[in-house]
Amino acid sequence: MDAGAGARKERPKPREPAARLEKAKQRSAQQELKQRQRAEIYALNRVMTELEQQQFDSFCKQMQGSGE
């Protein structure tokens, strides 16, 4: 066994504050983007549901009118 092999361990360099801050900004921006996309998807889903309901109502009226 080599006696000096276990005595010296290389520790990873501590991150610089600027790098840590940049990483936090990137994470925050990514989170905001996801929230905005989710809100847009929900809004689009609501609009599509309303449109589908309007088309269904129109179809029902047409079917009632032709059945008389």
Side-chain angles (χ1 to χ4, degrees), residues 19-37:
R20 189 178 304 158
L21 183 60
E22 183 64 29
K23 190 76 166 178
K25 283 181 183 179
Q26 287 177 354
R27 234 176 299 153
S28 176
Q30 188 70 22
Q31 202 170 17
E32 288 177 18
L33 176 64
K34 282 183 180 182
Q35 288 176 348
R36 193 186 75 205
Q37 287 175 336

Side-chain angles (χ1 to χ4, degrees), residues 14-62:
R15 286 190 179 177
E16 300 158 10
R20 189 178 304 158
L21 183 60
E22 183 64 29
K23 190 76 166 178
K25 283 181 183 179
Q26 287 177 354
R27 234 176 299 153
S28 176
Q30 188 70 22
Q31 202 170 17
E32 288 177 18
L33 176 64
K34 282 183 180 182
Q35 288 176 348
R36 193 186 75 205
Q37 287 175 336
R38 182 173 295 183
E40 289 174 1
I41 289 169
Y42 287 155
L44 180 59
N45 189 22
R46 184 171 48 252
V47 169
M48 294 300 290
T49 300
E50 290 171 3
L51 178 60
E52 185 180 11
Q53 186 63 45
Q54 289 173 3
Q55 290 177 339
F56 179 70
D57 292 342
S58 176
F59 172 75
C60 289
K61 287 178 184 176
Q62 284 179 350

